[in-house]
Amino acid sequence: MSRNPVVAVVDAYGTARHLGPLLRERGYALLLVRGPEAPPHEPDDGDPAAELVCSERPEELLGAVAAHRPVAVLTGAPSGAGLADLLSEGLGLAGNGTGLSAARDAGPLPGEGPVEGTFHVNTVSLDGRHHICDIWWAPRPPGADLWDPAGDVELLPRRGERQDRLADAAFAALDVLRLRTGPAHCVFRSTPDGPRLMGVRPGIAGRLPLLARQALGAGQLEWTVDAYVGPEWFRMRAGRDYGAY
């Protein structure tokens, strides 16, 4: 068992695999927890992290994770959100609880008519305080993966009438779903009456956090790590406009 404090990440695959290096830079050991919907994944070479496969008996997995004494349980890919809720609640750690896990997993909301393009709002929250990491416009109609737009995307400035409406709507949706801690991704369709919410998904949002890192120097990945292991730093900076980091 590592002497460094341990952070458990549920479903650390895809873009969420970049959480591991950020946590190790902060001096944390990484415990990978693989849920039943996650593809097999292996720790990076030299990574001392252990991987736990989700058991059909959650209490067994909870005990196995508890043995590592994690200081935090993070949602990696969105598939891990429900299990992260279960583990954090069972271990008495910061999280969103299991009361609304089913509602959070409901998927995209129905909409009327074709979707010409989508807006994407990435957030990270801590104890109910929400921060906008980045806002994107994807002009192409969404493909099979609504949450990870294909083709070119445009990073919008943080401020503007449209962006302020998106931010307010995203915050309201997070509050309804009681997503008080951790990363989330909100998708809106463009309508003549303004953006309309299509869905909210807890977890790290496709490739957009990597694009935000390139454009801004920090994005949802970095803010997620701050929320869990650097809360004072998060609170000090939350609410600032990106581009002013």
Side-chain angles (χ1 to χ4, degrees), residues 30-245:
L30 183 66
L31 179 67
L32 299 179
V33 182
R34 180 160 64 87
E37 299 180 15
H41 56 284
E42 298 294 336
D44 297 335
D45 291 342
D47 188 345
E51 179 175 318
L52 303 177
V53 178
C54 183
S55 167
E56 293 183 0
R57 298 180 179 180
E59 64 275 10
E60 292 182 355
L61 181 63
L62 180 62
V65 173
H68 292 265
R69 299 179 180 178
V71 298
V73 177
L74 280 65
T75 299
S79 60
L83 184 54
D85 291 340
L86 181 69
L87 292 174
S88 59
E89 184 175 78
L91 295 171
L93 298 173
N96 296 306
T98 58
L100 290 181
S101 288
R104 298 171 192 144
D105 197 36
L109 303 174
E112 303 83 12
V115 179
E116 298 298 332
T118 49
F119 296 98
H120 297 255
V121 180
N122 290 322
T123 63
V124 176
S125 305
L126 176 61
D127 297 333
R129 184 174 183 182
H130 310 306
H131 175 74
I132 299 290
C133 300
D134 38 84
I135 303 174
W136 302 84
W137 163 242
R140 293 176 56 181
D145 188 355
L146 169 70
W147 310 99
D148 194 3
D152 294 336
V153 291
E154 177 187 354
L155 178 63
L156 301 179
R158 171 60 184 89
R159 296 295 172 179
E161 181 179 356
R162 179 174 55 184
Q163 295 93 304
D164 290 343
R165 292 179 64 181
L166 288 166
D168 289 345
F171 291 165
L174 295 174
D175 289 340
V176 167
L177 292 173
R178 297 179 194 166
L179 288 170
R180 294 177 50 81
T181 297
H185 180 80
C186 300
V187 180
F188 298 82
R189 59 182 289 148
S190 179
T191 77
D193 297 323
R196 178 174 296 182
L197 181 68
M198 295 182 70
V200 181
R201 198 178 193 188
I204 300 297
R207 65 189 173 103
L208 297 180
L210 297 178
L211 297 180
R213 173 189 284 179
Q214 293 175 4
L216 302 170
Q220 195 180 43
L221 290 162
E222 291 77 13
W223 279 92
T224 295
V225 171
D226 279 344
Y228 284 94
V229 303
E232 297 84 2
W233 184 239
F234 180 98
R235 294 188 182 98
M236 184 173 66
R237 299 186 304 142
R240 292 185 185 178
D241 295 352
Y242 57 79
Y245 296 158

